[in-house]
C-alpha cells in the first residue's frame, strides 16, 4: 500500500487513539478489579503504540517512524507477560500479589533494548534508510542491525508462545477451581476471556505468518495490513469486554487458600488433612441430612464457604468429603440435587402447565441453558424428553 494519508492509515490512527483513550479510562476507573484494569490498560497501550508505529510508517512521518519502529520491536516482549498477568489477576482476585519476582517476567523487554543497541548507534539518515528501505542482505553497515532485529523478533515470538500456553493453562485451572467452590458458573466462568484469548491467538498466528512466510509467499504488505486491522478490532473488543469484566472471587473474602497446583493429585491435596475415613463418613451423613432437610441448593448463588458456615464445617473438610467420598466437585454435587428437584416438578401433574424456565429457576438454576446442560449430564436426556418419558 502506498505511503500517505488514506483509508488504511485513518483506520490505524483511529485504532491507536481509541487504544490510548481506553488505556486512560482503565487507569482512571475505581470500580472492578483495579489491578486487572492496570494490566489491561498496559496491554491496550502496547497495542496502541504498535498501531501508531504502523501509522507513522505508512503515512510517511519519517522523523517519528524511525523511533517508533524500534520501540515497537521491543514492545513485542510485553504482550505475553501482560496477557498472562491480566488473566492471573482476574482468576486469583484478592489473592494475587504483585511481588518483586513478578517483575522478572519483564526482564526480556528491558534486555531487548541492549540487543537492539546496533540500531540506536546508527545516525539519523542510516536509521531512515534502514526503516524505510529493504536493506536485508544489502548494505554491510546494516548487517548487525538486521541480525539484532531478527533475533529480537524470533525471541519475542517464542516468548509470546510460552505465555500463551501459560495463560491457557491458567484459564483451565480457573474452570476447575470455580467448580470446587461455586454452584453456578454464570458471570464467573470467564468465557469472554477465553474468546479474547482466541482472538489474540489469531493475531499471533497471523504475526507468525507475516514474520516467517510473507516474503516467500509474496504477500508481505497484505499480511501486515491484515495484522494491523485485526489489532484495531482487538482494541475495540478489549474495550467492550474488559470494562465489563466480572468480579470473580472478590465477593468471597473467606475464600480458602489458593487451590493446589495442577501437578497435585487428589491424594496430595488432602495429604495433611486430619480427617480419617470414619470422620468423613460422619460428615457425609450430616451433609446429606442437611441437604434433604434444608434444601440449600435452592439458593442459586450458593457457594462452598456459605454451605460450610451453615453446617459449621471448615470449607476444606467439606470439600474433602465431597471430592473423596462422592467423587464430585462442589458444582456437580449441588446441581445433582437441583436436577433431582426439577425432576420432581416435571413429574408433578399439578405443574404440567409450568414452563421449563420457571422450573429451572425454582430448582436453583440461574438460566435455562445451565439447567439443560446439568440435566442432560445427570440424566442423559433433556428436561423435555424426561417429561414426555413419564
Amino acid at each position: 500500500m502506498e505511503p500517505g494519508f488514506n483509508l488504511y492509515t485513518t483506520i490505524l490512527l483511529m485504532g491507536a487513539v481509541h487504544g490510548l483513550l481506553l488505556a486512560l479510562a482503565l487507569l482512571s476507573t475505581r470500580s472492578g478489579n483495579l489491578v486487572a484494569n492496570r494490566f489491561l490498560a498496559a496491554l491496550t497501550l502496547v497495542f496502541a503504540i504498535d498501531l501508531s508505529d504502523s501509522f507513522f510508517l505508512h503515512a510517511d512521518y519519517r522523523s517519528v517512524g524511525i523511533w517508533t519502529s524500534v520501540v515497537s520491536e521491543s514492545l513485542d516482549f510485553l504482550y505475553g507477560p501482560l496477557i498472562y498477568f491480566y488473566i492471573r489477576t482476574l482468576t486469583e482476585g484478592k489473592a494475587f500479589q504483585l511481588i518483586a519476582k513478578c517483575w522478572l517476567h519483564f526482564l526480556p523487554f528491558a534486555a531487548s533494548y541492549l540487543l537492539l543497541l546496533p540500531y540506536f548507534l546508527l545516525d539519523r539518515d542510516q536509521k531512515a534508510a534502514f526503516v524505510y528501505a529493504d536493506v536485508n542482505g544489502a548494505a554491510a553497515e546494516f548487517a548487525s542491525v538486521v541480525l539484532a532485529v531478527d533475533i529480537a523478533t524470533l525471541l519475542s515470538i517464542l516468548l509470546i508462545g510460552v505465555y500463551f500456553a501459560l495463560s491457557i493453562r491458567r484459564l483451565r485451572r480457573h474452570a476447575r477451581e470455580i467448580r470446587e467452590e461455586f454452584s453456578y458458573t454464570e458471570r464467573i466462568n470467564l468465557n469472554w476471556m477465553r474468546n479474547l484469548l482466541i482472538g489474540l491467538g489469531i493475531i499471533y498466528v497471523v504475526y507468525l505468518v507475516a514474520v516467517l512466510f510473507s516474503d516467500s509467499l509474496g504477500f508481505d504488505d497484505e499480511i501486515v495490513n491484515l495484522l494491523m486491522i485485526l489489532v484495531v478490532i482487538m482494541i475495540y473488543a478489549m474495550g467492550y469486554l474488559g470494562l465489563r469484566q466480572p468480579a470473580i472471587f472478590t465477593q468471597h473474602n473467606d475464600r480458602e487458600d489458593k487451590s493446589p497446583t495442577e501437578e497435585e493429585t487428589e491424594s496430595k491435596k488432602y495429604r495433611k488433612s486430619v480427617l480419617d475415613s470414619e470422620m468423613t463418613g460422619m460428615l457425609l451423613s450430616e451433609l446429606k441430612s442437611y441437604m434433604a432437610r434444608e434444601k440449600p441448593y435452592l439458593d442459586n448463588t450458593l457457594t462452598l464457604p456459605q454451605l460450610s458456615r451453615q453446617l459449621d464445617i471448615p470449607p476444606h473438610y467439606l470439600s474433602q468429603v465431597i471430592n473423596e467420598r462422592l467423587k464430585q466437585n462442589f458444582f456437580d454435587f449441588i446441581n445433582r440435587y437441583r436436577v433431582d428437584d426439577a425432576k420432581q416438578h416435571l413429574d408433578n401433574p399439578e405443574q404440567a402447565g409450568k414452563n421449563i424456565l420457571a422450573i429451572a429457576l425454582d430448582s436453583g438454576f440461574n438460566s435455562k441453558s445451565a439447567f439443560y446442560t446439568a440435566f442432560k449430564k445427570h440424566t442423559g436426556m433433556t428436561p423435555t424428553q424426561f417429561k414426555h418419558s413419564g
Side-chain angles (χ1 to χ4, degrees):
M1 187 172 291
E2 291 297 321
F5 206 88
N6 49 46
L7 177 61
Y8 177 64
T9 53
T10 301
I11 293 174
L12 293 179
L13 181 59
M14 289 176 60
V17 172
H18 180 79
L20 177 60
L21 293 176
L22 174 59
L24 293 174
L26 288 166
L27 289 172
S28 61
T29 184
R30 292 293 178 266
S31 60
N33 188 323
L34 298 183
V35 180
N37 287 340
R38 302 298 182 266
F39 278 114
L40 183 59
L43 180 61
T44 306
L45 186 59
V46 171
F47 272 124
I49 295 174
D50 259 345
L51 287 174
S52 299
D53 170 49
S54 291
F55 167 76
F56 291 130
L57 290 176
H58 284 85
D60 212 18
Y61 288 99
R62 300 197 172 202
S63 60
V64 182
I66 60 176
W67 292 107
T68 59
S69 60
V70 72
V71 170
S72 177
E73 198 75 43
S74 292
L75 288 179
D76 289 346
F77 287 88
L78 289 178
Y79 283 116
L82 289 176
I83 292 169
Y84 173 64
F85 280 112
Y86 178 51
I87 291 177
R88 278 193 57 185
T89 54
L90 288 180
T91 56
E92 295 180 20
K94 292 182 178 179
F96 176 80
Q97 293 183 341
L98 193 61
I99 57 179
K101 69 177 183 179
C102 290
W103 295 106
L104 295 176
H105 291 264
F106 299 95
L107 278 181
F109 165 67
S112 68
Y113 283 97
L114 293 177
L115 181 61
L116 295 170
L117 189 60
Y119 176 84
F120 294 115
L121 295 178
L122 297 176
D123 61 35
R124 182 183 181 85
D125 292 337
Q126 288 175 320
K127 287 185 177 72
F130 177 79
V131 172
Y132 287 92
D134 183 12
V135 298
N136 283 316
E141 61 182 313
F142 295 125
S144 61
V145 183
V146 172
L147 179 61
V149 171
D150 287 345
I151 293 175
T153 300
L154 292 176
L155 287 177
S156 67
I157 288 175
L158 177 62
L159 194 68
I160 292 173
V162 169
Y163 278 103
F164 252 101
L166 291 174
S167 298
I168 293 171
R169 180 183 178 185
R170 177 61 253 186
L171 278 181
R172 288 178 175 174
R173 178 179 168 185
H174 167 73
R176 290 193 297 272
E177 287 176 345
I178 61 175
R179 288 172 177 266
E180 291 291 349
E181 182 171 337
F182 294 83
S183 66
Y184 61 97
T185 60
E186 294 87 352
R187 303 183 304 279
I188 62 171
N189 55 22
L190 283 191
N191 283 342
W192 63 271
M193 187 66 239
R194 180 199 62 192
N195 295 333
L196 198 60
L197 200 58
I198 290 173
L200 292 170
I202 293 173
I203 291 178
Y204 177 61
V205 171
V206 174
Y207 178 52
L208 275 177
V209 173
V211 171
L212 301 178
F213 306 110
S214 59
D215 285 339
S216 60
L217 295 175
F219 51 80
D220 184 42
D221 289 342
E222 290 80 1
I223 197 69
V224 171
N225 293 342
L226 173 62
L227 178 63
M228 291 298 104
I229 294 298
L230 290 175
V231 170
V232 172
I233 294 173
M234 182 55 59
I235 281 183
Y236 281 93
M238 289 165 62
Y240 176 71
L241 296 174
L243 289 172
R244 296 174 64 248
Q245 64 188 7
I248 300 172
F249 291 128
T250 53
Q251 68 268 41
H252 298 292
N253 296 325
D254 55 353
R255 188 182 176 211
E256 283 288 280
D257 292 338
K258 289 183 182 180
S259 297
T261 59
E262 290 180 313
E263 290 78 12
E264 289 184 304
T265 61
E266 284 300 314
S267 59
K268 290 182 179 179
K269 182 178 179 180
Y270 300 114
R271 185 171 53 189
K272 296 181 180 180
S273 174
V274 298
L275 293 184
D276 56 23
S277 178
E278 182 179 355
M279 293 176 66
T280 55
M282 292 173 58
L283 292 178
L284 178 60
S285 177
E286 182 180 351
L287 172 62
K288 288 183 174 180
S289 176
Y290 184 81
M291 295 295 290
R293 184 177 68 256
E294 301 297 334
K295 299 183 178 182
Y297 52 84
L298 296 181
D299 177 3
N300 62 2
T301 61
L302 183 67
T303 65
L304 179 73
Q306 289 173 347
L307 184 59
S308 72
R309 284 196 298 269
Q310 294 172 21
L311 288 163
D312 198 22
I313 298 174
H316 189 69
Y317 289 171
L318 181 58
S319 177
Q320 181 177 350
V321 169
I322 296 172
N323 292 166
E324 288 189 338
R325 297 302 295 261
L326 300 177
K327 307 300 180 184
Q328 292 179 307
N329 53 45
F330 180 75
F331 177 84
D332 288 334
F333 170 70
I334 295 299
N335 280 291
R336 178 177 286 278
Y337 275 93
R338 290 170 175 167
V339 167
D340 289 341
D341 186 83
K343 287 164 65 177
Q344 295 181 23
H345 287 290
L346 293 170
D347 277 336
N348 189 346
E350 296 181 2
Q351 299 189 38
K354 204 170 188 178
N355 64 50
I356 297 295
L357 178 58
I359 291 175
L361 297 177
D362 287 345
S363 299
F365 290 97
N366 284 305
S367 67
K368 190 174 181 179
S369 61
F371 174 49
Y372 267 77
T373 300
F375 200 96
K376 184 70 178 290
K377 178 178 182 178
H378 291 291
T379 67
M381 62 182 76
T382 66
T384 304
Q385 290 171 334
F386 176 84
K387 187 174 184 179
H388 292 156
S389 66

